[in-house]
Amino acid sequence: MSVNFSLEGKVALVTGASYGIGFAIASGMAKAGATIVFNDIKQELVDKGIVAYKEAGIDAHGYVCNVCDEAGVNAMVETIAKEVGPIDILVNNAGIIKRIPMCDMTAEEFRQVIDVDLNAPFIVSKAVIPSMIERGHGKIINICSMMSELGRETVSAYAAAKGGLKMLTRNICSEYGKYNIQCNGLGPGYIETPQTAPLRERQPDGSRHPFDSFIVAKTPAERWLKPEELAGPAVFLASEASNAVNGHILYVDGGILAYIGKQPE
């Protein structure tokens, strides 16, 4: 059974994986045998990522590339194929969020979120699919979100982008499933990262931060999730074990989407 979950001999490109969720997913794939390739928008971030991977015992390959730049993405994919090998697994992880009330958000700010969170996965997927067709196999994993299903104040652009990414996932499945290409989404819940650390800090009186209390109350697991908890689901979607799974969004959220929430006391 373990053979089905092996990523030995596979090249995995995880976008924006210098740190955070992308780094955790890439690290999990490396442990399953994959050769890891990642990009980031600045050389400084790529260099930090290389150091972090080395500290984890992973020999990763890093490239500077803006995933919104189609010509740059095409050039990067060609370079990866020459220097490392053709891409077998793509994880569209790079993304941004702007927490701004909708009526205070400019159209330019809205477009920026859509560009990074939706247009970029289209661009990168389009760059790797022809080679996957030629070789008769491929795995694409789009990092969606609970905001693919739910709305919340201040995240109109992010929710619109992630909802669109969910449907792009299903459409890639529909168009390219016949070539043995599986495209699925991974929908993380609320994850313990350096970016969310301030929201989890105890208040001076020892109480939880209001947002921390909100998340814990909405999650049946009654806790934030750890980045490494995304690795197993990602390896599954990248492996032969998921060959019959296509166009699916796997939510790794501690049960939030299944739960209406606690009754007020």
Side-chain angles (χ1 to χ4, degrees), residues 87-124:
I87 295 164
D88 302 290
I89 302 160
L90 166 64
V91 182
N92 282 309
N93 167 75
I96 62 170
I97 186 170
K98 291 182 180 291
R99 294 182 176 88
I100 305 171
M102 180 175 166
C103 288
D104 295 334
M105 178 175 254
T106 65
E108 182 180 357
E109 289 168 329
F110 188 92
R111 289 191 192 100
Q112 185 182 5
V113 176
I114 297 295
D115 202 26
V116 177
D117 293 356
L118 180 55
N119 290 343
F122 165 78
I123 289 169
V124 186

Side-chain angles (χ1 to χ4, degrees), residues 55-74:
E55 289 176 351
I58 299 167
D59 184 20
H61 305 263
Y63 295 84
V64 177
C65 180
N66 179 352
V67 288
C68 298
D69 175 5
E70 187 169 12
V73 167
N74 290 338

Side-chain angles (χ1 to χ4, degrees), residues 189-197 200 223-228:
Y190 287 88
I191 310 293
E192 290 184 3
T193 65
Q195 289 81 3
T196 62
R200 292 179 279 107
R223 64 177 179 86
W224 291 65
L225 309 181
K226 298 182 182 301
E228 54 267 28

Side-chain angles (χ1 to χ4, degrees), residues 4-227:
N4 289 336
F5 291 90
S6 172
L7 302 182
E8 290 287 344
K10 304 296 185 183
V11 174
L13 168 60
V14 186
T15 66
S18 297
Y19 58 91
I21 289 173
F23 179 85
I25 289 173
S27 297
M29 289 184 174
K31 291 176 183 177
T35 299
I36 300 303
V37 180
F38 73 98
N39 81 290
D40 221 311
I41 198 165
K42 296 179 181 177
Q43 186 66 54
E44 177 186 358
L45 292 173
V46 171
D47 292 342
K48 287 182 178 179
I50 291 292
V51 170
Y53 282 109
K54 284 185 177 179
E55 289 176 351
I58 299 167
D59 184 20
H61 305 263
Y63 295 84
V64 177
C65 180
N66 179 352
V67 288
C68 298
D69 175 5
E70 187 169 12
V73 167
N74 290 338
M76 177 183 70
V77 169
E78 288 181 9
T79 301
I80 292 169
K82 293 176 183 176
E83 296 182 352
V84 185
I87 295 164
D88 302 290
I89 302 160
L90 166 64
V91 182
N92 282 309
N93 167 75
I96 62 170
I97 186 170
K98 291 182 180 291
R99 294 182 176 88
I100 305 171
M102 180 175 166
C103 288
D104 295 334
M105 178 175 254
T106 65
E108 182 180 357
E109 289 168 329
F110 188 92
R111 289 191 192 100
Q112 185 182 5
V113 176
I114 297 295
D115 202 26
V116 177
D117 293 356
L118 180 55
N119 290 343
F122 165 78
I123 289 169
V124 186
S125 297
K126 191 159 70 81
V128 304
I129 285 172
S131 174
M132 291 178 173
I133 292 174
E134 183 179 334
R135 289 176 295 116
H137 66 87
K139 301 282 186 174
I140 299 174
I141 302 171
N142 292 323
I143 303 303
C144 296
S145 165
M146 290 181 300
M147 297 301 108
S148 303
E149 299 288 345
L150 301 172
R152 194 166 66 79
E153 63 278 4
T154 77
V155 294
S156 59
Y158 184 78
K162 293 299 184 178
L165 186 57
K166 175 180 70 175
M167 294 311 301
L168 177 62
T169 299
R170 291 175 176 171
N171 205 78
I172 292 173
C173 156
S174 301
E175 283 199 63
Y176 300 106
K178 64 184 177 182
Y179 299 106
N180 193 31
I181 295 172
Q182 290 83 47
C183 181
N184 293 290
L186 194 62
Y190 287 88
I191 310 293
E192 290 184 3
T193 65
Q195 289 81 3
T196 62
L199 300 175
R200 292 179 279 107
E201 290 179 353
R202 290 284 177 170
Q203 303 300 289
D205 63 359
S207 64
R208 291 180 180 272
H209 187 287
F211 192 77
D212 185 19
S213 297
F214 168 69
I215 293 305
V216 171
K218 287 291 293 180
T219 309
E222 296 187 349
R223 64 177 179 86
W224 291 65
L225 309 181
K226 298 182 182 301

